[in-house]
Amino acid sequence: MPAIVVVGAQWGDEGKGRVVDGLAPQAHVVARYNGGDNAGHTVVAEGHTLRLHLVPSAVLHPQVVCLIGGGVVVNPERLVEELDELAGLGVDVGPDRIKLAANAHIILPTHRALDGAREASRGKQALGTTRRGIGPTYADKAARVGLRAGMMADPEGFAEQVRTLVETHNRLLQNHFGLEPLAAEEIAARYHEYARRLKDHLVDGSALVAETLEAGKTLLCEGAQGTLLDIDHGTYPFVTSSSTVAGGALTGLGFGPREVARVIGVAKAYTTRVGAGPFPTELLDEIGQRIREVGGEYGTTTGRPRRCGWLDLTILRYAAQVNGLTELALTKLDVLTGIDPLRVAVAYEREGERTDRFPAEFGIEALARWQPVYEELPGWTEDIGHARRWEDLPPQAQDYVAFVEEAVGVPITLVGVGPDREQSVWLT
Ligand code: GDP
Ligand code: IMO
Ligand code: MG
């Protein structure tokens, strides 16, 4: 089997981690293709709750090789921590299993400081980034001054390059932002250690992917963030700095579109967003509050409360369009239990004009003038956490899923009814 891409269909935190974990038994190599430790992917299985930031969400499956792909930006401190935590749980995180692509880029403490400084200088216009240095690291990559993971093969040379780039960043921090410089020597020494620790994990990521596909094995590609956070296709500038869409799997991992057999969009049965930016179906009332509490909608990475709202089908249609979705995984249906009636946005309206497309192309100010058009659907009160087959779902829950499938025009192949791996209704 060829490549399967798992991509967030909304603003992130849709449950990509649980979907990747659920599909991993079919896969040989599972690869993260974008983002960095701004991501927080949760896997609840085998009595563990893993909150993964860099390591692919298939790590509990011993037959899988996990690749951190070239499109990723890596904070080596965080990666070492994550490997240690997993090792502490008895998970094999040796260099034969966990691979780091040599063309991935390296996040420095000064990238993080610059992220914070840029956010502070935006004042009320702040993006609400995770302050993990994501934007500045991708900016250095695009400016062709970044550090690549492959440099860690020579820890001394790498440390020297780290020191030079930290000094460059320090000048910016001091002269432009009026901040204190960071200790370049000390950072270089720490990064020397990370390089010694990580260099055996380095690999030519594209070659590993090619070998996998040529051998007829399955490559599962794990996206971070979501479609509306994509640098090109999201709600710019309230986006992250990478290609979160399915195309990002091709550029991030280095293989061609003909290999892709399935593109699975992951969507919650409602909508959430962390950070600033437009969110037309946001609920600022007690229903939004209820969804936040019942759904545990607090950031996996930063602990920030997530903004919650009704499902927006125009967003899912947009995700189907820009990613070429072949299927949808609808997670967290259980969180809607007890809310009656349920509402879903089916279109937008402005001065008598109506569109069933998410008005992304009209820009953020224009988006604010469009009002979502809702349809009401009946809710259910039964606990659905034990459902494992379609027949186990109450008729109203079945109707909700069927309504989404029909409106988006993409088959739903998985329904999540709880965080645990087992709490899945597979419809394949
Ligand atoms: P990701 O970033 O897309 O991998 O998603 P996160 O892990 O950041 O957020 C999803 C949260 O929802 C995690 O806490 C998951 O354990 C949880 N979750 C995933 N699927 C379900 C589901 O079907 N029901 C419930 N109740 N929780 C779920
Ligand atoms: P996963 O992979 C939800 C959001 C931030 C902010 C914007 C830019 O777990 O779904 P950044 O630090 O990337 O420069 O922040 O993007 N953001 C996420 N929101 N889930 C994520 O990852 C996110 N990663 C970044 O909150 O609004
Ligand atoms: Mg997350």
Side-chain angles (χ1 to χ4, degrees), residues 117 137 175 237 239 256 422:
T137 306
N175 301 338
V239 294
E422 303 300 323

Side-chain angles (χ1 to χ4, degrees), residues 204-216 219 253-255 259:
D204 176 339
S206 176
L208 171 63
V209 164
E211 277 162 28
T212 307
L213 294 170
E214 275 160 24
L219 169 73
L253 299 173
F255 68 101
E259 307 288 352

Side-chain angles (χ1 to χ4, degrees), residues 290-359:
R290 177 194 169 119
I291 291 175
R292 184 173 311 112
E293 294 315 318
V294 176
E297 296 297 353
Y298 293 88
T300 311
T301 297
T302 57
R304 289 180 292 176
R306 295 176 184 147
R307 300 157 65 193
C308 298
W310 298 120
L311 186 65
D312 188 334
L313 295 174
T314 73
I315 290 177
L316 301 193
R317 282 188 206 112
Y318 181 68
Q321 172 193 316
V322 298
N323 297 298
L325 299 183
T326 61
E327 52 200 284
L328 264 178
L330 194 69
T331 63
K332 307 193 91 161
L333 189 65
D334 54 299
V335 176
L336 297 182
T337 299
I339 303 176
D340 192 16
L342 293 162
R343 300 179 92 191
V344 289
V346 294
Y348 279 78
E349 198 165 61
R350 182 182 65 172
E351 294 150 18
E353 200 185 334
R354 185 179 158 123
T355 173
D356 58 8
R357 294 162 70 93
F358 183 65

Side-chain angles (χ1 to χ4, degrees), residues 140-152:
D140 275 357
K141 170 178 168 174
R144 293 156 297 178
V145 297
L147 304 178
R148 288 176 141 200
M151 292 175 175
M152 294 194 294

Side-chain angles (χ1 to χ4, degrees), residues 52-262:
L52 299 159
H53 301 284
L54 286 164
V55 173
S57 300
V59 71
L60 288 179
H61 298 264
Q63 92 288 357
V64 165
V65 170
C66 292
L67 170 67
I68 300 168
V72 176
V73 288
V74 177
N75 175 348
E77 180 178 4
R78 181 59 89 112
L79 179 55
V80 165
E81 258 171 39
E82 201 160 301
L83 294 178
D84 286 347
E85 278 168 30
L86 288 165
L89 297 174
V91 178
D92 174 7
V93 290
D96 291 339
R97 259 212 96 203
I98 311 283
K99 310 272 189 191
L100 172 57
N103 55 341
H105 275 251
I106 296 291
I107 301 179
L108 298 176
T110 40
H111 285 123
R112 304 225 305 272
L114 285 168
D115 193 355
R118 283 188 188 140
E119 278 288 271
S121 72
R122 289 179 77 110
K124 284 206 172 74
Q125 312 301 319
L127 305 175
T129 75
T130 59
R131 301 190 176 222
R132 296 297 191 274
I134 306 299
T137 306
Y138 279 114
D140 275 357
K141 170 178 168 174
R144 293 156 297 178
V145 297
L147 304 178
R148 288 176 141 200
M151 292 175 175
M152 294 194 294
D154 164 22
E156 273 78 36
F158 176 64
E160 192 49 37
Q161 304 252 27
V162 166
R163 194 175 55 76
T164 306
L165 189 54
V166 168
E167 285 168 353
T168 305
H169 290 157
N170 273 343
R171 284 194 286 279
L172 200 54
L173 285 167
Q174 287 178 281
N175 301 338
H176 185 73
F177 292 106
L179 295 170
E180 290 298 311
L182 272 60
E185 281 310 328
E186 185 258 328
I187 293 170
R190 269 173 35 216
Y191 274 61
H192 182 265
E193 277 315 297
Y194 301 142
R196 281 165 50 97
R197 171 75 194 272
L198 294 172
K199 67 184 173 52
D200 293 343
H201 294 266
L202 292 172
V203 69
D204 176 339
S206 176
L208 171 63
V209 164
E211 277 162 28
T212 307
L213 294 170
E214 275 160 24
K217 294 180 176 172
T218 298
L219 169 73
L220 179 57
C221 309
E222 177 173 359
Q225 291 83 50
T227 301
L228 290 183
L229 289 171
D230 183 86
I231 182 74
D232 295 301
H233 305 288
T235 44
Y236 191 90
F238 298 97
V239 294
T240 189
S241 299
S242 68
S243 294
T244 65
V245 295
L250 308 181
T251 54
L253 299 173
F255 68 101
R258 284 184 308 173
E259 307 288 352
V260 180
R262 297 167 67 188

Side-chain angles (χ1 to χ4, degrees), residues 349-428:
E349 198 165 61
R350 182 182 65 172
E351 294 150 18
E353 200 185 334
R354 185 179 158 123
T355 173
D356 58 8
R357 294 162 70 93
F358 183 65
E361 72 268 39
F362 303 122
I364 282 158
E365 292 80 26
L367 179 58
R369 292 197 289 274
W370 288 89
Q371 295 303 315
V373 179
Y374 291 104
E375 272 198 36
E376 287 193 351
L377 297 172
W380 59 91
T381 51
E382 298 90 333
D383 177 2
I384 60 170
H386 300 288
R388 298 294 175 268
R389 298 166 310 158
W390 178 251
E391 307 80 77
D392 300 336
L393 293 172
Q396 299 90 332
Q398 290 181 348
D399 289 349
Y400 188 85
V401 175
F403 187 88
V404 175
E405 184 172 81
E406 168 73 24
V408 183
V410 171
I412 293 177
T413 52
L414 169 67
V415 176
V417 293
D420 197 275
R421 183 191 285 168
E422 303 300 323
Q423 292 179 296
S424 305
V425 177
W426 292 96
L427 302 171
T428 38

